[in-house]
């Protein structure tokens, strides 16, 4: 028994060494045959079992089996190591690892997203937070709550797409209904901007699309005046168009504000002298005004206690002005030759 124990031990030691040092597939196969083959070392040991005392056989058998398992495992891992070495060598042979890699083209946000982010950032610096509303909006929020009853003529200007079978829903024609949502969700003071997509049944041309983007703004607090509106939007114009730009506020009409105005900036191309783009030296950039008492009434805010101003601007227009883009359709064609310039 002691003898076979010794034999098994020395075979195991030799095998470990040999399987570790093997360097090629044919040498490994020769090792396998020598240890595990039909006339191999293990087989030979098994045959010697017969000549042992019956009492010693079970233990000796277990020793030999353990040795066999160890050698099978040694063979497996030697083969795996050779395979790895092999594939590395093949790659080095077939692939020129010194070639420079192919650079991956990095995407980036769409120019309209960049412009939206820029506008929102400017207002964020003045303490505004961004809120969002759904593109499918109730008729009530899109019109009635904004002081546009069913028979109101200015509904025409905000005409939109209706939803078949749901005459209480529309694709919002402006981001203004989110004012209503925000004022219902939280009591003043409020200072929000609302970026988002809007829809109108316009035919597509260089300056119109049935889908476009706006950024809405709303400030509600005690003692908010037209002076606050002018200061805030003037700051925005300076930040977006650059120092030196001038603003002017022209009286206008919106149902949801009173008084209402449109803000123009001095033409960024001719500095207000008058050119082919602006004609008059001024470029219209947004609509604004003091929140109409009827809008406050629709959301149960006391218009004796609170006042507010609101504004809305078109993102495509602002982006086109800044980057001198002459056709709005470029935004929606997704031609990388256009998009990669921003
Ligand atoms: N909703 C208007 C439009 O789409 C823009 C606008 C004008 C929004 C005046 C306002 C505002 O909040 O006070 O043309």
């Amino acid at each position: 028994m002691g003898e076979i124990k010794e034999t098994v031990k020395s075979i195991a030691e030799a095998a470990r060494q040999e399987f570790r040092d093997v360097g090629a597939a044919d040498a490994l196969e020769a090792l396998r045959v020598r240890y595990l083959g039909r006339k191999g070392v293990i087989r030979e040991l098994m045959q010697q079992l017969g000549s042992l005392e019956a009492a010693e056989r079970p233990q000796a058998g277990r020793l030999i089996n353990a040795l066999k398992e160890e050698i099978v495992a040694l063979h497996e891992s030697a083969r795996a190591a050779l395979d790895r070495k092999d594939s590395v060598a093949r790659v080095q042979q077939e692939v020129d690892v010194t070639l420079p890699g192919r650079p991956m083209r990095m995407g980036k946000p769409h120019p309209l997203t960049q412009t939206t982010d820029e506008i929102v950032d400017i207002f964020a610096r003045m303490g505004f937070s961004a809120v969002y509303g759904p593109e499918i909006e109730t008729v009530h929020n899109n019109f009635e709550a904004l002081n546009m009853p069913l028979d109101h003529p200015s509904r025409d200007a905000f005409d939109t797409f209706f939803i078949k079978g749901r005459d209480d829903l529309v694709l919002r024609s402006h981001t203004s209904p989110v004012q209503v949502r925000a004022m219902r969700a939280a009591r003043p003071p409020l200072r929000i901007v609302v970026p988002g997509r809007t829809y109108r049944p316009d035919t597509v041309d260089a300056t119109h699309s049935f889908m476009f983007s706006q950024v809405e703004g709303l400030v509600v607090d005690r003692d908010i005046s037209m002076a606050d509106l002018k200061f805030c939007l003037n700051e925005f114009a300076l930040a977006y168009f650059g120092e030196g730009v001038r603003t002017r506020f022209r009286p206008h009409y919106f149902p949801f504000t009173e008084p209402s105005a449109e803000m123009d900036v001095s033409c960024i191309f001719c500095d207000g002298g008058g050119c082919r783009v602006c004609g008059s030296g001024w470029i219209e950039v947004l609509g604004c005004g003091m929140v109409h008492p009827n809008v406050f009434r629709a959301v149960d805010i006391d218009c004796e206690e609170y006042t507010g101003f609101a504004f809305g601007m078109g993102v495509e227009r602002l982006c086109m002005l800044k980057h001198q883009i002459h056709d709005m359709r470029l935004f929606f064609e997704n031609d990388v030759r256009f998009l990669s310039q921003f």
Side-chain angles (χ1 to χ4, degrees), residues 134-149 154-155 157-162 168-178 180-181 184 197-200 214 255-256:
E135 291 171 28
I136 300 176
E137 184 53 279
T138 63
V139 171
H140 181 83
N141 289 348
N142 197 75
F143 296 112
E144 273 90 358
L146 291 168
N147 197 30
M148 275 184 277
S154 65
R155 275 216 185 187
F158 297 97
D159 196 9
T160 180
F161 297 97
F162 286 76
D168 57 330
L169 296 178
V170 291
L171 292 190
R172 65 179 178 195
S173 51
H174 48 175
T175 41
S176 304
V178 189
V180 177
R181 289 176 175 272
R184 273 204 219 104
R197 261 194 286 277
T198 52
Y199 302 85
R200 282 180 208 173
Q214 292 189 328
F256 28 89

Side-chain angles (χ1 to χ4, degrees), residues 146 148 157-158 173-177 179 198 200 212 214-218 229 252-262 284 286-292 309-314:
L146 291 168
M148 275 184 277
F158 297 97
S173 51
H174 48 175
T175 41
S176 304
Q179 289 188 27
T198 52
R200 282 180 208 173
F212 54 102
Q214 292 189 328
V215 175
E216 186 83 13
L218 174 71
L229 176 156
H252 196 75
Y253 174 77
F254 295 106
F256 28 89
T257 44
E258 178 61 33
S260 304
E262 278 187 332
E284 178 209 321
L286 57 82
C288 56
M290 301 305 293
V291 179
H292 197 290
F309 70 82
F311 55 89
M313 58 187 89

Side-chain angles (χ1 to χ4, degrees), residues 69 74 119 133 147:
E69 271 166 34
L74 286 170
I119 296 168
N147 197 30

Side-chain angles (χ1 to χ4, degrees), residues 54-232:
E56 291 185 331
R57 275 184 220 147
Q59 206 197 339
R62 275 195 294 278
L63 282 175
I64 297 168
N65 265 329
L67 175 67
K68 183 179 170 187
E69 271 166 34
E70 181 175 358
I71 293 178
V72 168
L74 286 170
H75 174 254
E76 295 275 307
S77 59
R79 210 215 337 250
L82 277 183
D83 281 352
R84 270 198 305 278
K85 232 170 70 182
D86 220 41
S87 56
V88 169
R90 210 170 41 241
V91 167
Q92 275 169 350
Q93 211 167 49
E94 291 171 6
V95 179
D96 182 352
V97 293
T98 65
L99 273 180
R102 280 186 210 139
M104 241 205 293
R105 279 215 281 179
M106 287 294 281
K108 51 187 166 179
H110 189 279
L112 290 177
T113 306
Q114 291 184 37
T115 302
T116 303
D117 290 348
E118 191 181 346
I119 296 168
V120 169
D121 275 358
I122 292 170
F123 285 103
R125 295 203 291 272
M126 293 191 267
F128 287 72
S129 29
V131 305
Y132 301 84
E135 291 171 28
I136 300 176
E137 184 53 279
T138 63
V139 171
H140 181 83
N141 289 348
N142 197 75
F143 296 112
E144 273 90 358
L146 291 168
N147 197 30
M148 275 184 277
L150 194 52
D151 56 1
H152 200 288
S154 65
R155 275 216 185 187
D156 282 354
F158 297 97
D159 196 9
T160 180
F161 297 97
F162 286 76
I163 314 279
K164 221 180 195 165
R166 285 294 302 267
D167 54 14
D168 57 330
L169 296 178
V170 291
L171 292 190
R172 65 179 178 195
S173 51
H174 48 175
T175 41
S176 304
V178 189
Q179 289 188 27
V180 177
R181 289 176 175 272
M183 287 190 285
R184 273 204 219 104
R187 296 285 92 184
L190 276 170
R191 210 186 290 184
I192 58 161
V193 277
V194 184
R197 261 194 286 277
T198 52
Y199 302 85
R200 282 180 208 173
D202 280 335
T203 14
V204 177
D205 64 23
T207 53
H208 294 86
S209 162
F210 50 83
M211 178 189 77
F212 54 102
S213 321
Q214 292 189 328
V215 175
E216 186 83 13
L218 174 71
V219 171
V220 184
D221 204 344
R222 295 191 176 89
D223 302 322
I224 295 293
S225 74
M226 195 87 185
D228 298 308
L229 176 156
K230 289 182 75 174
F231 174 80
C232 177

